[in-house]
Amino acid sequence: MTPFRLGVLVSGEGSNLQAVLDSLHGRDGIEVACVAASRPDAPALARARAAGVPTGVFAASDHPGRAARDEALAEFLTAHGVDLVVLAGFMELLDSAFVRHFDGRVINVHPSLLPAFPGLRAIEQALDYGVRVTGVTIHFVDEGIDTGPIVAQEAIELPYALDIARVEERVHAVEHRLLPEAIRLIAGGTVRIETAESGARRRVTIEGERRGER
Ligand code: GAR
């Protein structure tokens, strides 16, 4: 069976990449085919190398502009035969041409219950706002900022005056479980994005869910 190939995009620590490597790489017909970083000093790169996964660095400053960088990135992912692009702590926007090229084949992990607190520093935004519940969202990437169809979400309650480091810890623990779960479902071919004719309503359906199996 041909494996389902992931291209993982990172900018920093790479703890989500590690979770994907540990729970999915080389199992159940899934493999991490390549890892691309937006910065040469991203610690995530060492995690990829340790797992024997090919890496590439695509810093915007090495290219004439973001469009050119994203084109080079798309070529790298295509050359590695990627079926799904996973943004795992990738802290830069991807241009529309990239998103259209990989339409419906890019997902992102975001540390809030979208549509609350999109963009950068989502955990700080939630704490500053004083919400009692935050969480994690896995969503398909469209041309907006954290606006694509939602695959999975999980809530986390925030007791009063919990410090940011502890909230981050809880968020990461949920991400490290939810992201591999969502990837497994997508690789299994049971996930569909449904859009109503008006385009005003969209929903991600997961086979089995309607029958109450999930
Ligand atoms: C994760 O918490 C992820 O949700 C967040 O960056 C962190 C990366 O951690 N992503 C975003 O905020 C995207 N807007 P990691 O490098 O250890 O996986």
Side-chain angles (χ1 to χ4, degrees):
M1 195 180 93
T2 329
F4 186 84
R5 295 168 71 80
L6 307 175
V8 183
L9 270 48
V10 294
S11 297
E13 194 49 49
S15 70
N16 279 286
L17 165 66
Q18 193 66 55
V20 169
L21 287 168
D22 292 346
S23 56
L24 298 178
H25 184 48
R27 295 179 197 203
D28 304 330
I30 299 174
E31 77 181 35
V32 179
C34 60
V35 169
S38 61
R39 320 162 41 124
D41 59 350
L45 285 167
R47 297 180 188 263
R49 289 187 200 114
V53 173
T55 59
V57 175
F58 296 85
S61 55
D62 293 342
H63 298 267
R66 214 182 66 208
R69 192 280 303 268
D70 290 357
E71 212 179 303
L73 182 55
E75 275 169 23
F76 173 79
L77 294 165
T78 304
H80 283 90
V82 159
D83 297 298
L84 182 71
V85 180
V86 179
L87 310 190
F90 187 71
M91 295 305 185
E92 294 183 16
L93 295 176
L94 292 162
D95 79 348
S96 319
F98 182 99
V99 174
R100 282 198 298 268
H101 181 83
F102 290 101
D103 186 32
R105 293 187 293 137
V106 186
I107 60 167
N108 179 43
V109 52
H110 185 76
S112 77
L113 287 179
L114 290 170
F117 312 122
L120 296 175
R121 301 177 58 256
I123 298 174
E124 287 95 319
Q125 289 187 58
L127 286 180
D128 289 350
Y129 198 93
V131 292
R132 296 300 182 114
V133 178
T134 187
V136 170
T137 303
I138 314 296
H139 65 94
F140 283 104
V141 171
D142 66 7
E143 292 178 42
I145 298 177
D146 300 324
T147 51
I150 291 170
V151 183
Q153 286 188 305
E154 189 168 311
I156 299 167
E157 285 191 29
L158 298 176
Y160 182 73
L162 200 60
D163 66 88
I164 181 137
R166 290 199 40 218
V167 176
E168 273 170 358
E169 225 172 81
R170 286 190 184 190
V171 165
H172 274 129
V174 172
E175 288 180 341
H176 297 167
R177 183 167 38 75
L178 209 59
L179 179 61
E181 256 174 46
I183 294 171
R184 204 177 277 120
L185 287 171
I186 294 168
T190 61
V191 175
R192 304 259 173 284
I193 304 172
E194 286 179 5
T195 311
E197 254 167 54
S198 65
R201 187 178 216 223
R202 83 275 160 92
R203 179 148 298 151
V204 172
T205 60
I206 298 163
E207 219 174 85
E209 208 168 36
R210 261 179 281 189
R211 294 196 298 268
E213 289 163 15
R214 281 189 83 250

